[in-house]
Amino acid sequence: MFVGRTRELGVLQAEFDHPRPSLTILYGRRRVGKSTLLREAVKQRPHVFYQATRVADTDAQTLFRDEIGRALGSDPILEGLSGWESLFAYLYRAAATKVGEKGEGLVVVIDEFPYLCEDNRALPSILQKVWDELRRGDVPFKLVLCGSHVAFMEDLLAEKNP
């Protein structure tokens, strides 16, 4: 059962309802309910929820690809993909196919995003490149980056960073 956080849940759901691509960054201390809030916000929508761990970058990509397959169904094309850019391009195409159902697109949550960046410091710039290409379209692809490492997440938002 989910109790409280009505305002925060409403903000997330309103963002996910917009028919345009969006990038949301959610961060805060550990154990304040960020993951639970996000799970509640996406539970009635097409979504991929990936809980990152401290593993090598290639292993993280494999785990992310496996989670995409669990969430969206197996696909031989997906199974042959490698690299963050190709995985996000696949998710964008998947979001485009979800538009017709209820116009809702696809929400992709990467929880504990800083863990992915420990082994691949280039990941924020890769995401910037991917996002710059994807946001030009009109597909409601929603990307949520979440993390408990507050300083890292705030640094992502700094002017000097992607």
Side-chain angles (χ1 to χ4, degrees), residues 115-148:
Y115 289 166
L116 297 179
C117 299
E118 287 176 2
D119 198 54
N120 185 345
R121 294 177 359 147
L123 187 54
S125 65
I126 293 168
L127 271 179
Q128 176 191 13
K129 178 183 180 223
V130 168
W131 187 254
D132 286 348
E133 293 170 10
L134 300 183
R135 72 184 171 99
R136 291 186 190 119
D138 59 353
V139 174
F141 177 73
K142 314 298 181 176
L143 178 60
V144 180
L145 304 178
C146 180
S148 298

Side-chain angles (χ1 to χ4, degrees), residues 5 13 35 48 60 62 68 73 92 113 120 137:
R5 306 296 280 283
Q13 290 177 336
S35 300
V48 174
T62 299
I68 294 168
Y92 183 79
F113 179 69
N120 185 345

Side-chain angles (χ1 to χ4, degrees), residues 2-109:
F2 185 82
V3 178
R5 306 296 280 283
T6 307
R7 185 178 66 79
E8 294 93 337
L9 189 58
V11 168
L12 286 170
Q13 290 177 336
E15 185 61 33
F16 298 158
D17 285 341
H18 283 287
R20 56 166 168 58
S22 71
L23 171 64
T24 303
I25 297 182
L26 178 67
Y27 63 96
R29 295 184 338 251
R30 292 194 184 288
R31 303 283 170 241
V32 296
K34 296 177 300 299
S35 300
T36 302
L37 175 66
L38 287 169
R39 286 186 188 281
E40 183 67 20
V42 301
K43 78 177 184 181
Q44 300 299 322
R45 301 171 183 277
H47 70 275
V48 174
F49 194 105
Y50 176 62
Q51 175 74 51
T53 55
R54 285 184 163 123
V55 296
D57 186 57
T58 54
D59 293 335
Q61 290 178 40
T62 299
L63 292 168
F64 186 50
R65 187 181 63 231
D66 292 348
E67 189 57 40
I68 294 168
R70 270 191 291 285
L72 303 179
S74 64
D75 180 351
I77 293 172
L78 174 63
E79 293 168 16
L81 296 178
S82 64
W84 291 108
E85 288 184 47
S86 60
L87 292 170
F88 280 101
Y90 180 89
L91 287 167
Y92 183 79
R93 286 190 300 277
T97 65
K98 302 287 182 194
V99 173
E101 295 172 14
K102 292 183 186 175
E104 55 199 346
L106 178 68
V107 180
V108 176
V109 176

